[in-house]
Amino acid sequence: QVQLVESGGGLVQAGGSLRLSCAASGRSFSSCTMGWFRQAPGKDREFVAAIRWSGGNTYYADSVKGRFTISRDNTKNTVYLQMNSLKPEDTAVFYCAVDRSLGVVGTTPRVYDYWGQGTQVTVSS
């Protein structure tokens, strides 16, 4: 079965950087879209970034454009989220997810089929 394992979260000061990793296994992801979402306490899960596994096209939420970069390593079946210039409002549990369809890149959680367990990111002011 599909497994997604996130890592790389932690506590960082405002202005700092973190790199999240999502190791994927259990199927071929060549026709999938990989996404990162986050959920802060009391808030809905929100889209952060996505990448087409084949071709590498990337998509970002306006709130993270210019600060976050999504990438993938085909040889390791791993997706990364490089987060720079972190702000306290970035504090959340970050999840990676897989959308098996080849349609329009989704920015809502319901279009994603598989989810990781999440990794906590805390940005102190």
Side-chain angles (χ1 to χ4, degrees), residues 2-120:
V2 172
Q3 281 196 315
L4 304 173
V5 180
E6 301 101 333
S7 61
L11 173 64
V12 64
Q13 287 190 330
S17 299
L18 282 174
R19 189 178 80 156
L20 305 183
S21 300
C22 174
S25 62
R27 61 162 286 158
S28 169
F29 297 94
S30 60
S31 62
C32 296
T33 297
M34 308 295 291
W36 283 98
F37 286 76
R38 65 186 179 186
Q39 188 166 19
K43 294 190 176 181
D44 292 336
R45 194 166 295 190
E46 67 172 359
F47 173 77
V48 175
I51 186 167
R52 294 278 199 195
W53 197 275
S54 176
N57 292 37
T58 57
Y59 308 83
Y60 296 95
D62 287 343
S63 59
V64 306
K65 273 180 188 174
R67 299 189 299 124
F68 291 10
T69 303
I70 189 171
S71 62
R72 86 264 190 256
D73 184 331
N74 291 347
T75 63
K76 297 181 179 179
N77 256 17
T78 299
V79 176
Y80 302 98
L81 187 68
Q82 178 66 43
M83 305 186 295
N84 299 329
S85 302
L86 282 161
K87 305 174 182 180
E89 51 263 43
D90 293 316
T91 295
V93 177
F94 281 70
Y95 299 88
C96 71
V98 176
D99 174 9
R100 297 174 296 177
S101 73
L102 289 175
V104 174
V105 170
T107 59
T108 56
R110 63 180 173 82
V111 306
Y112 286 77
D113 305 292
Y114 304 104
W115 292 84
Q117 82 288 350
T119 185
Q120 176 71 47

